Amino acid sequence: MDALSFVIVGHVDHGKSTLIGRLLYDTQSLTPDKIEEIKKASTGQERRTEFAYLLDHLEEERKQGITIDTTQVFFKTPKRPYVIIDAPGHVEFIKNMITGASQAEAAVLIIDVADGVKQQTKRHSYMLSLLGLKQVIVILNKMDLADYSQEHFNCIAEDVQNWLKSIDIEPVFYIPTSAIEGDNIAGKSEKMSWYTGPTFLESLDFLRNKQFAEDKPLLFPVQDVYKVDDKRINVGRVETGCISEGDEIKILPSGRTTNVNSIEKFLENTSNATIGECIGFTTVDSVFLERGNIVCSPSNLPVLTDTISANIFWMTKGNFIKDMKLNIRCATQETCCRVESINKKIDSSTLEIIEEDAEVIKNLEVAEVVIKTKKPIAVKDFNEVQELGRFVLVQNENICAGGIITFGE
Ligand code: GDP
């Protein structure tokens, strides 16, 4: 099965590093000599320092350019491999997610039960909502500091639930843990027999891979067209569905219909390709495709529009002033655009509305906007097809905002 990638977010000191360290240790993802090394380095200190140390140690290695890359931590369960995408800062993370540099399919929100829901907890979870990352597991950590009390767990879980509901996130699980002691991480906690749900590790196996998009109709943004001999090979990545020789396809924006002649895969002879595969294909008649075209199944067309409603996250120091000219990039499509109206501006930490009908957007502000594009672009609901539901705004080749299309919601 394909690896599932997830991000762990939460207020600083609520136990993220310890959780990752414990997870790697308990899933035997570390080599024996590394464990030995860590144990040695931790000698004389309390056992509890070990796990936080582990991540520091990995970070140190990363800095030295050796083996482990802490921005991508790998481990496995018997069901499938996992990748933890590290989010050094939320701006970086949003940038990476929106630009597609890293793709979390799920998120883990960690909360210290002794500390409760904090500003950063809110900011981070709001960010998940903004990014449409709605597959969320909530870890209520440091249960050892709350005497493993069910009552305390319920009380904090209720707070978290109320908050998350207000931003349209319904977590799949709330799990009481002590990352430091290993309770409910890989093994069931004996100290919390009142909890009958899965351990953290078990809960991960319930998450759905993005893979499910395989059942959806074809969407294939054209990245480039290679001319080889007399063939025109249209290359790109199958974002949803699959493509086979003979399939009828529609090309947007022209709306022209044709059929697939051949599938071209590097060093492979094949007649079809599925989601996630980077391939080329030729058409039966000489249709001229170009970068930015969206190839799709005639049965399920994206919306072709020049007006989109979206939530954008401004992530550059320079202010955005209404009517400023920008470029919009959505999948491989790119065209000039104008932000026509800024209906509402929201403080990403408090969710408070700062201003309605605004003229300026500043760094780290989230805004509900209407964008007018010069040429129509093919878009989809973000929750259905992320690649056609997310975009970036570009000014002088710098990405200054990322956005998620909200029309139709
Ligand atoms: P991060 O900033 O979220 O990565 O948090 P760390 O993993 O660095 O943890 C912050 C502090 O909380 C460290 O001193 C950890 O030892 C401690 N800590 C983490 N998890 C637990 C836990 O389950 N119980 C207790 N008592 N302390 C914990």
PDB file of all heavy atoms in Angstrom, residues 20 31 84 101 112 122 133 161 174 179 181 233 239 253 266 288 291 319 369 385 393 403:
ATOM      1  N   ILE A  20       6.827  11.941  18.322  1.00  0.00           N
ATOM      2  CA  ILE A  20       7.519  11.374  17.149  1.00  0.00           C
ATOM      3  C   ILE A  20       8.634  10.437  17.608  1.00  0.00           C
ATOM      4  O   ILE A  20       8.784   9.323  17.105  1.00  0.00           O
ATOM      5  CB  ILE A  20       8.084  12.492  16.231  1.00  0.00           C
ATOM      6  CG1 ILE A  20       6.959  13.356  15.683  1.00  0.00           C
ATOM      7  CG2 ILE A  20       8.888  11.895  15.081  1.00  0.00           C
ATOM      8  CD1 ILE A  20       7.398  14.579  14.894  1.00  0.00           C
ATOM      9  N   THR A  31      17.734   2.091  14.019  1.00  0.00           N
ATOM     10  CA  THR A  31      18.678   0.975  14.019  1.00  0.00           C
ATOM     11  C   THR A  31      19.171   0.752  15.449  1.00  0.00           C
ATOM     12  O   THR A  31      19.223   1.695  16.248  1.00  0.00           O
ATOM     13  CB  THR A  31      19.884   1.284  13.108  1.00  0.00           C
ATOM     14  OG1 THR A  31      20.430   2.534  13.556  1.00  0.00           O
ATOM     15  CG2 THR A  31      19.488   1.397  11.662  1.00  0.00           C
ATOM     16  N   ILE A  84       5.954  11.249   8.170  1.00  0.00           N
ATOM     17  CA  ILE A  84       5.546  12.425   8.937  1.00  0.00           C
ATOM     18  C   ILE A  84       6.210  13.622   8.287  1.00  0.00           C
ATOM     19  O   ILE A  84       7.429  13.676   8.151  1.00  0.00           O
ATOM     20  CB  ILE A  84       5.992  12.348  10.411  1.00  0.00           C
ATOM     21  CG1 ILE A  84       5.514  11.047  11.059  1.00  0.00           C
ATOM     22  CG2 ILE A  84       5.463  13.558  11.189  1.00  0.00           C
ATOM     23  CD1 ILE A  84       6.022  10.861  12.479  1.00  0.00           C
ATOM     24  N   ALA A 101       4.471  21.432  -2.527  1.00  0.00           N
ATOM     25  CA  ALA A 101       5.830  20.965  -2.243  1.00  0.00           C
ATOM     26  C   ALA A 101       5.788  19.772  -1.280  1.00  0.00           C
ATOM     27  O   ALA A 101       6.585  18.850  -1.388  1.00  0.00           O
ATOM     28  CB  ALA A 101       6.663  22.085  -1.641  1.00  0.00           C
ATOM     29  N   ASP A 112      -1.667  19.399  25.054  1.00  0.00           N
ATOM     30  CA  ASP A 112      -1.263  19.061  26.416  1.00  0.00           C
ATOM     31  C   ASP A 112      -2.506  19.209  27.305  1.00  0.00           C
ATOM     32  O   ASP A 112      -3.076  20.301  27.394  1.00  0.00           O
ATOM     33  CB  ASP A 112      -0.154  20.072  26.808  1.00  0.00           C
ATOM     34  CG  ASP A 112       0.289  19.969  28.245  1.00  0.00           C
ATOM     35  OD1 ASP A 112      -0.429  19.352  29.049  1.00  0.00           O
ATOM     36  OD2 ASP A 112       1.356  20.536  28.551  1.00  0.00           O
ATOM     37  N   LYS A 122      -5.265  26.799  18.254  1.00  0.00           N
ATOM     38  CA  LYS A 122      -6.314  27.336  17.391  1.00  0.00           C
ATOM     39  C   LYS A 122      -5.755  27.726  16.028  1.00  0.00           C
ATOM     40  O   LYS A 122      -6.329  27.415  14.997  1.00  0.00           O
ATOM     41  CB  LYS A 122      -6.948  28.570  18.038  1.00  0.00           C
ATOM     42  CG  LYS A 122      -7.762  28.243  19.257  1.00  0.00           C
ATOM     43  CD  LYS A 122      -8.522  29.452  19.702  1.00  0.00           C
ATOM     44  CE  LYS A 122      -9.470  29.078  20.836  1.00  0.00           C
ATOM     45  NZ  LYS A 122     -10.259  30.202  21.299  1.00  0.00           N
ATOM     46  N   LEU A 133      -7.550  20.200   5.189  1.00  0.00           N
ATOM     47  CA  LEU A 133      -7.021  18.962   5.776  1.00  0.00           C
ATOM     48  C   LEU A 133      -7.970  18.550   6.895  1.00  0.00           C
ATOM     49  O   LEU A 133      -7.799  18.928   8.042  1.00  0.00           O
ATOM     50  CB  LEU A 133      -5.638  19.237   6.366  1.00  0.00           C
ATOM     51  CG  LEU A 133      -4.455  18.668   5.648  1.00  0.00           C
ATOM     52  CD1 LEU A 133      -3.164  19.100   6.298  1.00  0.00           C
ATOM     53  CD2 LEU A 133      -4.520  17.157   5.569  1.00  0.00           C
ATOM     54  N   GLN A 161     -13.366  19.809  20.898  1.00  0.00           N
ATOM     55  CA  GLN A 161     -14.428  19.487  19.947  1.00  0.00           C
ATOM     56  C   GLN A 161     -15.236  20.741  19.584  1.00  0.00           C
ATOM     57  O   GLN A 161     -15.528  20.978  18.412  1.00  0.00           O
ATOM     58  CB  GLN A 161     -15.351  18.448  20.558  1.00  0.00           C
ATOM     59  CG  GLN A 161     -16.335  17.884  19.561  1.00  0.00           C
ATOM     60  CD  GLN A 161     -17.130  16.735  20.148  1.00  0.00           C
ATOM     61  OE1 GLN A 161     -17.283  16.635  21.364  1.00  0.00           O
ATOM     62  NE2 GLN A 161     -17.632  15.876  19.306  1.00  0.00           N
ATOM     63  N   TYR A 174     -10.198  10.942  19.315  1.00  0.00           N
ATOM     64  CA  TYR A 174      -9.567  11.699  20.394  1.00  0.00           C
ATOM     65  C   TYR A 174      -8.851  10.650  21.234  1.00  0.00           C
ATOM     66  O   TYR A 174      -9.503   9.739  21.762  1.00  0.00           O
ATOM     67  CB  TYR A 174     -10.615  12.385  21.269  1.00  0.00           C
ATOM     68  CG  TYR A 174     -11.291  13.553  20.599  1.00  0.00           C
ATOM     69  CD1 TYR A 174     -12.401  13.355  19.783  1.00  0.00           C
ATOM     70  CD2 TYR A 174     -10.831  14.848  20.796  1.00  0.00           C
ATOM     71  CE1 TYR A 174     -13.032  14.428  19.164  1.00  0.00           C
ATOM     72  CE2 TYR A 174     -11.457  15.931  20.180  1.00  0.00           C
ATOM     73  CZ  TYR A 174     -12.552  15.710  19.368  1.00  0.00           C
ATOM     74  OH  TYR A 174     -13.174  16.769  18.757  1.00  0.00           O
ATOM     75  N   ALA A 179       2.985  10.613  25.883  1.00  0.00           N
ATOM     76  CA  ALA A 179       4.038  10.294  24.912  1.00  0.00           C
ATOM     77  C   ALA A 179       5.293   9.886  25.647  1.00  0.00           C
ATOM     78  O   ALA A 179       6.032   8.991  25.228  1.00  0.00           O
ATOM     79  CB  ALA A 179       4.300  11.496  24.019  1.00  0.00           C
ATOM     80  N   GLU A 181       5.642   8.434  28.572  1.00  0.00           N
ATOM     81  CA  GLU A 181       5.564   7.110  29.198  1.00  0.00           C
ATOM     82  C   GLU A 181       5.178   6.032  28.188  1.00  0.00           C
ATOM     83  O   GLU A 181       5.209   4.849  28.511  1.00  0.00           O
ATOM     84  CB  GLU A 181       4.534   7.121  30.340  1.00  0.00           C
ATOM     85  CG  GLU A 181       4.799   8.123  31.450  1.00  0.00           C
ATOM     86  CD  GLU A 181       6.051   7.796  32.259  1.00  0.00           C
ATOM     87  OE1 GLU A 181       6.533   6.643  32.187  1.00  0.00           O
ATOM     88  OE2 GLU A 181       6.556   8.700  32.935  1.00  0.00           O
ATOM     89  N   ILE A 233       3.717  14.123 -27.715  1.00  0.00           N
ATOM     90  CA  ILE A 233       3.419  13.412 -26.460  1.00  0.00           C
ATOM     91  C   ILE A 233       3.059  14.435 -25.387  1.00  0.00           C
ATOM     92  O   ILE A 233       3.860  15.304 -25.046  1.00  0.00           O
ATOM     93  CB  ILE A 233       4.621  12.550 -26.012  1.00  0.00           C
ATOM     94  CG1 ILE A 233       5.018  11.603 -27.151  1.00  0.00           C
ATOM     95  CG2 ILE A 233       4.279  11.761 -24.748  1.00  0.00           C
ATOM     96  CD1 ILE A 233       6.227  10.755 -26.859  1.00  0.00           C
ATOM     97  N   GLU A 239      -4.032  13.101 -12.043  1.00  0.00           N
ATOM     98  CA  GLU A 239      -4.426  13.585 -10.712  1.00  0.00           C
ATOM     99  C   GLU A 239      -5.573  12.790 -10.123  1.00  0.00           C
ATOM    100  O   GLU A 239      -5.600  12.535  -8.928  1.00  0.00           O
ATOM    101  CB  GLU A 239      -4.783  15.079 -10.765  1.00  0.00           C
ATOM    102  CG  GLU A 239      -3.611  15.995 -11.070  1.00  0.00           C
ATOM    103  CD  GLU A 239      -2.484  15.943 -10.049  1.00  0.00           C
ATOM    104  OE1 GLU A 239      -2.648  15.319  -8.995  1.00  0.00           O
ATOM    105  OE2 GLU A 239      -1.425  16.533 -10.322  1.00  0.00           O
ATOM    106  N   PRO A 253      -9.225  24.371 -22.043  1.00  0.00           N
ATOM    107  CA  PRO A 253     -10.501  25.078 -22.191  1.00  0.00           C
ATOM    108  C   PRO A 253     -11.190  24.934 -23.556  1.00  0.00           C
ATOM    109  O   PRO A 253     -12.330  25.359 -23.683  1.00  0.00           O
ATOM    110  CB  PRO A 253     -10.100  26.543 -21.967  1.00  0.00           C
ATOM    111  CG  PRO A 253      -8.691  26.640 -22.421  1.00  0.00           C
ATOM    112  CD  PRO A 253      -8.072  25.303 -22.149  1.00  0.00           C
ATOM    113  N   PHE A 266       7.922   5.804 -19.351  1.00  0.00           N
ATOM    114  CA  PHE A 266       9.366   5.622 -19.465  1.00  0.00           C
ATOM    115  C   PHE A 266       9.750   4.154 -19.261  1.00  0.00           C
ATOM    116  O   PHE A 266       9.406   3.554 -18.235  1.00  0.00           O
ATOM    117  CB  PHE A 266      10.051   6.507 -18.415  1.00  0.00           C
ATOM    118  CG  PHE A 266      11.540   6.540 -18.541  1.00  0.00           C
ATOM    119  CD1 PHE A 266      12.139   6.946 -19.714  1.00  0.00           C
ATOM    120  CD2 PHE A 266      12.334   6.148 -17.478  1.00  0.00           C
ATOM    121  CE1 PHE A 266      13.525   6.977 -19.837  1.00  0.00           C
ATOM    122  CE2 PHE A 266      13.722   6.175 -17.589  1.00  0.00           C
ATOM    123  CZ  PHE A 266      14.309   6.592 -18.780  1.00  0.00           C
ATOM    124  N   PHE A 288      -3.826  19.832 -30.995  1.00  0.00           N
ATOM    125  CA  PHE A 288      -2.659  20.466 -30.404  1.00  0.00           C
ATOM    126  C   PHE A 288      -2.915  20.860 -28.954  1.00  0.00           C
ATOM    127  O   PHE A 288      -3.620  21.821 -28.696  1.00  0.00           O
ATOM    128  CB  PHE A 288      -2.213  21.665 -31.244  1.00  0.00           C
ATOM    129  CG  PHE A 288      -1.541  21.218 -32.495  1.00  0.00           C
ATOM    130  CD1 PHE A 288      -2.279  20.895 -33.621  1.00  0.00           C
ATOM    131  CD2 PHE A 288      -0.157  21.069 -32.543  1.00  0.00           C
ATOM    132  CE1 PHE A 288      -1.665  20.442 -34.774  1.00  0.00           C
ATOM    133  CE2 PHE A 288       0.471  20.621 -33.683  1.00  0.00           C
ATOM    134  CZ  PHE A 288      -0.292  20.299 -34.807  1.00  0.00           C
ATOM    135  N   ARG A 291       0.739  23.174 -22.491  1.00  0.00           N
ATOM    136  CA  ARG A 291       0.814  23.268 -21.037  1.00  0.00           C
ATOM    137  C   ARG A 291      -0.372  24.093 -20.523  1.00  0.00           C
ATOM    138  O   ARG A 291      -0.705  25.136 -21.091  1.00  0.00           O
ATOM    139  CB  ARG A 291       2.123  23.945 -20.617  1.00  0.00           C
ATOM    140  CG  ARG A 291       2.247  24.082 -19.117  1.00  0.00           C
ATOM    141  CD  ARG A 291       3.543  24.746 -18.701  1.00  0.00           C
ATOM    142  NE  ARG A 291       3.448  25.168 -17.312  1.00  0.00           N
ATOM    143  CZ  ARG A 291       3.718  24.388 -16.271  1.00  0.00           C
ATOM    144  NH1 ARG A 291       4.137  23.163 -16.467  1.00  0.00           N
ATOM    145  NH2 ARG A 291       3.575  24.829 -15.035  1.00  0.00           N
ATOM    146  N   ASN A 319       2.293  44.325   1.277  1.00  0.00           N
ATOM    147  CA  ASN A 319       0.829  44.287   1.367  1.00  0.00           C
ATOM    148  C   ASN A 319       0.219  44.073  -0.007  1.00  0.00           C
ATOM    149  O   ASN A 319       0.797  44.456  -1.021  1.00  0.00           O
ATOM    150  CB  ASN A 319       0.296  45.612   1.909  1.00  0.00           C
ATOM    151  CG  ASN A 319       0.693  45.799   3.350  1.00  0.00           C
ATOM    152  OD1 ASN A 319       1.152  44.866   3.999  1.00  0.00           O
ATOM    153  ND2 ASN A 319       0.525  47.012   3.846  1.00  0.00           N
ATOM    154  N   VAL A 369     -12.098  36.185  -0.686  1.00  0.00           N
ATOM    155  CA  VAL A 369     -12.019  37.095  -1.829  1.00  0.00           C
ATOM    156  C   VAL A 369     -12.776  36.568  -3.044  1.00  0.00           C
ATOM    157  O   VAL A 369     -13.135  35.388  -3.102  1.00  0.00           O
ATOM    158  CB  VAL A 369     -10.542  37.305  -2.260  1.00  0.00           C
ATOM    159  CG1 VAL A 369      -9.738  37.986  -1.176  1.00  0.00           C
ATOM    160  CG2 VAL A 369      -9.895  35.985  -2.666  1.00  0.00           C
ATOM    161  N   VAL A 385     -11.250  17.472  -5.631  1.00  0.00           N
ATOM    162  CA  VAL A 385      -9.963  17.321  -6.325  1.00  0.00           C
ATOM    163  C   VAL A 385      -9.058  18.464  -5.900  1.00  0.00           C
ATOM    164  O   VAL A 385      -9.170  19.582  -6.393  1.00  0.00           O
ATOM    165  CB  VAL A 385     -10.139  17.357  -7.859  1.00  0.00           C
ATOM    166  CG1 VAL A 385      -8.801  17.111  -8.544  1.00  0.00           C
ATOM    167  CG2 VAL A 385     -11.150  16.337  -8.321  1.00  0.00           C
ATOM    168  N   LEU A 393      -1.149  32.622  -5.846  1.00  0.00           N
ATOM    169  CA  LEU A 393      -1.090  33.907  -6.535  1.00  0.00           C
ATOM    170  C   LEU A 393       0.374  34.314  -6.598  1.00  0.00           C
ATOM    171  O   LEU A 393       1.104  34.184  -5.607  1.00  0.00           O
ATOM    172  CB  LEU A 393      -1.910  34.958  -5.782  1.00  0.00           C
ATOM    173  CG  LEU A 393      -3.407  34.650  -5.688  1.00  0.00           C
ATOM    174  CD1 LEU A 393      -4.120  35.704  -4.854  1.00  0.00           C
ATOM    175  CD2 LEU A 393      -4.036  34.574  -7.083  1.00  0.00           C
ATOM    176  N   GLY A 403      -4.284  29.768  -2.025  1.00  0.00           N
ATOM    177  CA  GLY A 403      -5.713  29.853  -1.824  1.00  0.00           C
ATOM    178  C   GLY A 403      -6.435  28.552  -2.096  1.00  0.00           C
ATOM    179  O   GLY A 403      -5.911  27.644  -2.743  1.00  0.00           O
TER     180      GLY A 403
END
